[in-house]
Amino acid sequence: MPAIADVLGEFAARTTLRDVPDEVLRRARHLALDSVGVALAAVDEEFTRRARRAAAELGPGDQPVIGLPDRLALREAALLNAVLVHGLDFDDTHLPAVTHVSASALPVSIAAALKHRRSAEDLLLAYVLGIEITARVGTVAHGGFHAGGFHPTGLAGAFGSAVSAGKLAGLDADGIAEAQRIVGSMASGILEFLADGAWTKRLHPGWAATSALTAASFAAVGWPGPEQVYEGRYGLYATHLGPDGWDATEALDGLGERWELLATAVKPYPSCHFTHAFADAILHLKQAEGFSAAEVDVVRCHIHETPAAAVCEPIERKRAPQDDYDAKFSLPFIAGACLARDRLTLAEFTDEALADQEILRLAQRVEIADDPNSRFPQAYSAEVEIVLTGGRRLHRREDVNRGHTERPLSDADIRAKFADNLGGDARSTMDHVLAIGGAGGAADYAEALRAA
């Protein structure tokens, strides 16, 4: 059987926009819209200010950045754009892969399309391919990357981005395969940020994008990488999952017939996707039952052990997060915020919210239990039991999180989210973003994103 990288390289090399179903292209445009919207919402954040300073030190250039006046060198622009898309943790997620797919696929496609003077159609196709390969590479793990302490956005994202970069560089099937083989030695990302809310996760899709651009350049000059970068004895899966329990050929199932891009979920809340079904359950109970936050005695959250390790451990720290990123990965804090404020928006992750004593008091009431019926990683299930001070017990199960393919956010929902992120009249900007893949050059499209 051919190596996995060869099969994926051949698929990417021969695929044109005409091969991609209209519903996939329509959804891809809305995923791009969502990505640009969350990037624009992040332009004034402190992490963006620091990332801008660091990127400028690494290399000035002529590449544009979404919503900012900065012009940077190729890889630095991709890095900063990825930080903008991923920094608020409000960006899309391919659920079976447990991977943020657009955060690297869009920035690398913009950068490579500009470098090679490609059309807006080329840009759209590369973006679609980047999402597709990232999702397929991540899905093979069945959540196992997280269990081993690795962030699949950095791992799988590097491979999908390498395909995007190789396609836009004009590489043939062998060249796109070689880009994957090379980037395998650069794919990275560890979950230790969960211990203290460190900012390293925000860099993971940017590093995937910059690594992909590097790998494509080396592939273009014939630099050889290991043939079995995925399935080999020391390939991606053996080193990150162990020698058994995975089948790399799953990445090829239905290739070109079933589009994994359509399984990409858009986030309704600006927090770790593992917490969303819990937010939905608590907000539903609060509205339906009409109790007050002061009446809450216990909030028992049933969750699968793998997502629990990310958003519930160590429990005492999760009950009192130290910064906004810490809070986005804290199920107790998010439960407290939903109970105290009847919502979960960007405002619930400000310094003011982190110091809100009512939220913190309620976070102390949260208990964590196992969920033997969870559908993880196919869906991020939640079961919530709220005990009120009078002894009344309320129960809600969300077997499938909102945003999942079984409960998707519609294109209209995505447009509404974009408008909320921008505030005011977002129509003209929305029209520009949704025009990805239209007439003209990729440079015109990228400049429109910068002007936004």
Side-chain angles (χ1 to χ4, degrees):
M1 180 178 177
I4 304 297
D6 285 326
V7 179
L8 295 177
E10 193 277 330
F11 166 72
R14 64 175 164 78
T15 299
T16 70
L17 275 184
R18 292 187 297 276
D19 299 316
V20 184
D22 289 343
E23 65 171 333
V24 175
L25 295 178
R26 183 180 67 252
R27 194 61 172 182
R29 290 184 173 96
H30 281 83
L31 293 179
L33 180 71
D34 184 62
S35 299
V36 172
V38 296
L40 293 172
V43 295
D44 291 326
E45 295 289 330
E46 178 60 26
F47 67 79
T48 299
R49 286 190 282 273
R50 297 190 194 184
R52 291 173 70 184
R53 293 201 301 271
E57 285 291 323
L58 289 170
D62 58 5
Q63 285 249 353
V65 178
I66 298 171
L68 291 171
D70 311 50
R71 290 197 181 274
L72 297 168
L74 176 75
R75 290 178 294 184
E76 285 66 42
L79 175 68
L80 185 52
N81 277 330
V83 169
L84 286 165
V85 172
H86 189 54
L88 291 172
D89 220 86
F90 208 2
D91 52 317
D92 63 34
T93 309
H94 185 273
L95 297 180
V98 202
T99 302
H100 297 277
V101 287
S102 285
S104 55
L106 185 61
V108 77
S109 297
I110 292 172
L114 267 62
K115 175 185 179 183
H116 299 290
R117 302 181 185 277
R118 298 300 183 185
S119 69
E121 288 187 345
D122 295 331
L123 169 57
L124 176 59
L125 177 59
Y127 174 50
V128 169
L129 290 171
I131 290 177
E132 190 67 20
I133 303 308
T134 295
R136 288 175 169 277
V137 170
T139 297
V140 172
H142 295 285
F145 288 144
H146 269 87
F150 299 105
H151 188 205
T153 298
L155 299 179
F159 290 96
S161 294
V163 170
S164 297
K167 179 75 169 179
L168 288 163
L171 302 183
D172 61 12
D174 289 340
I176 297 174
E178 209 66 78
Q180 295 169 76
R181 294 180 177 123
I182 295 168
V183 89
S185 291
M186 307 172 191
S188 64
I190 58 174
L191 296 179
E192 186 58 22
F193 71 89
L194 291 169
D196 52 18
W199 290 6
T200 45
K201 179 177 181 286
R202 289 179 164 126
L203 287 172
H204 292 170
W207 188 250
T210 58
S211 296
L213 292 164
T214 303
S217 291
F218 274 78
V221 299
W223 197 276
E227 181 179 1
Q228 294 191 326
V229 67
Y230 295 111
E231 66 270 43
R233 180 172 54 141
Y234 298 118
L236 172 69
Y237 298 118
T239 54
H240 289 75
L241 301 176
D244 304 307
W246 50 268
D247 178 3
T249 62
E250 286 185 27
L252 308 179
D253 290 348
L255 185 65
E257 299 174 359
R258 185 189 72 250
W259 288 85
E260 290 296 331
L261 181 146
L262 295 175
T264 302
V266 173
K267 283 188 171 185
Y269 304 118
S271 63
C272 176
H273 229 130
F274 295 157
T275 68
H276 287 198
F278 291 94
D280 274 342
I282 292 169
L283 291 171
H284 174 89
L285 287 172
K286 190 83 186 302
Q287 181 178 24
E289 302 295 338
F291 61 90
S292 69
E295 297 178 79
V296 175
D297 185 29
V298 176
V299 183
R300 190 166 291 112
C301 296
H302 296 260
I303 185 172
H304 185 279
E305 62 180 356
T306 297
V311 298
C312 305
E313 299 172 9
I315 188 62
E316 290 308 319
R317 182 179 181 90
K318 295 296 184 181
R319 288 177 174 146
Q322 300 302 299
D323 63 18
D324 66 318
Y325 222 54
D326 213 5
K328 288 173 183 286
F329 291 84
S330 167
L331 179 53
F333 180 87
I334 286 165
C338 291
L339 288 165
R341 299 191 171 191
D342 298 332
R343 67 184 189 188
L344 189 63
T345 70
L346 289 169
E348 277 60 70
F349 299 98
T350 61
D351 290 343
E352 178 270 331
L354 289 168
D356 187 319
Q357 293 304 303
E358 180 67 354
I359 294 177
L360 296 174
R361 181 189 72 79
L362 290 163
Q364 294 293 326
R365 302 286 183 175
V366 174
E367 299 177 356
I368 305 301
D370 184 47
D371 181 5
N373 300 313
S374 174
R375 289 180 57 184
F376 181 85
Q378 283 72 34
Y380 306 158
S381 307
E383 187 166 338
V384 175
E385 181 184 10
I386 297 176
V387 182
L388 303 182
T389 52
R392 185 181 174 204
R393 293 176 179 269
L394 308 173
H395 176 266
R396 176 80 175 176
R397 181 170 182 83
E398 299 281 353
D399 209 40
V400 177
N401 54 293
R402 196 154 50 97
H404 190 280
T405 51
E406 296 176 25
R407 297 181 62 195
L409 266 65
S410 68
D411 291 347
D413 292 332
I414 296 172
R415 293 193 293 270
K417 176 183 170 182
F418 181 86
D420 286 343
N421 279 327
L422 265 65
D425 183 10
R427 171 54 60 184
S428 62
T429 304
M430 188 182 304
D431 290 343
H432 278 305
V433 181
L434 288 173
I436 184 173
D444 296 332
Y445 182 78
E447 291 298 334
L449 299 189
R450 179 176 184 265

